Amino acid sequence: MRDLTAAVLADVHGNYRALQACLDYAQARRADQYLFLGDYITDHPYPQRVMALLYAAQDRLPCRFIRGNREDYMIHYRQNGGRDSAGVPWKNGSPQGALLHCYENLTSRDVDWFESLPISGLWQPQGAPPIAYCHGSPEQTRDEMRGDRRSLEMLGNTPAELLVKGHNHRHWMLAHRGKRLVCAGSVGNAIDRRAKPGPPVRTSLVKMAQMAFLHLKQGRWQVEYVRVPYDWQGALEDLKTSGLYQRAPVWAAMLRYNILTGCDPFNTLPTRATALYAQETGLPAPWSAVPEAYWERAAAEFHVSTIF
């Protein structure tokens, strides 16, 4: 049984510059297989440039693709005739402006391709132990699989010793009853910790992309976590040249914050904006219904500057 190497790329989130760097690095490492784990688009601008890289990889590299929850968003939005699950069109503003920008810059071919992708897969090179892979979980694209009872049951039912996944944007591993669950990190929005109100904390993931390699050594898959430098200055410039910072001001500012700190504001800051709105109005609301002013106030508490 010969040694093999699989490159694992998850959660690009529109950051084509980070994707290009990871692809270049994997090719330099002579990867035998490429596993793409979904969430290729949304957040960063220019999704068409991500799609061009994915189609090129599909044509000339040994690749396997699955879809993530962000691809599901695009599929469902088209199925609903340009409306979300509540029957409302996306609109400009921090809650939905980045989603709308992405959708408007995709083609029918792109969404058709997303629809053709499964949500999980199994790769078994000849003579090697199989690798199971998914985005959120083998059952749902949005599952976290963080060690709860249901997650451990799904891991136990996996037809492989190793299950590799995306969605969590961090490098981590969980072992349970002879099975391993491995998170490949995020190519485009790598995180080290959750953002909190107050001055930003810069982590070791500043200006870095994440990916993973799986190496078959003596009949067992070994995991290597990798950080890859990329053109982060260009990624920041893209936020301006694309006009995304005008369509989704706080969301674009959070992307910049993430690049420059390695911290994740994408849950804690919107949650704070929602709480501020509820405190003042007495009305609970989803992110999409929270006015921009509350997003701006939450951004100020997190020291996330919206000035570009």
Side-chain angles (χ1 to χ4, degrees), residues 3-6 131 161-162 173 180 182 212-225:
D3 292 349
L4 294 171
T5 295
I131 295 172
E161 181 271 333
L162 178 64
M173 183 186 302
R180 287 180 293 164
V182 170
F213 287 95
L214 306 177
H215 304 287
L216 184 66
K217 302 286 187 181
Q218 299 180 340
R220 179 175 169 83
W221 290 106
Q222 300 177 7
V223 181
E224 178 190 4
Y225 295 128

Side-chain angles (χ1 to χ4, degrees), residues 91-109:
K91 59 185 179 181
N92 286 330
S94 292
Q96 299 172 320
L99 290 172
L100 181 59
H101 173 86
C102 179
Y103 186 78
E104 291 176 349
N105 282 279
L106 294 172
T107 68
S108 294
R109 177 198 179 193

Side-chain angles (χ1 to χ4, degrees), residues 258-269:
N258 171 245
I259 290 172
L260 295 177
T261 67
C263 292
D264 171 21
F266 302 108
N267 181 278
T268 51
L269 192 156

Side-chain angles (χ1 to χ4, degrees), residues 198-221:
V201 176
R202 288 170 175 79
T203 74
S204 59
L205 286 178
V206 169
K207 307 165 188 175
M208 288 287 179
Q210 286 179 317
M211 62 180 299
F213 287 95
L214 306 177
H215 304 287
L216 184 66
K217 302 286 187 181
Q218 299 180 340
R220 179 175 169 83
W221 290 106

Side-chain angles (χ1 to χ4, degrees), residues 128-147:
I131 295 172
Y133 54 96
C134 63
H135 180 70
S137 78
E139 296 180 0
Q140 296 182 22
T141 58
R142 294 193 68 180
D143 274 342
E144 295 285 343
M145 291 194 74
R146 292 189 179 274

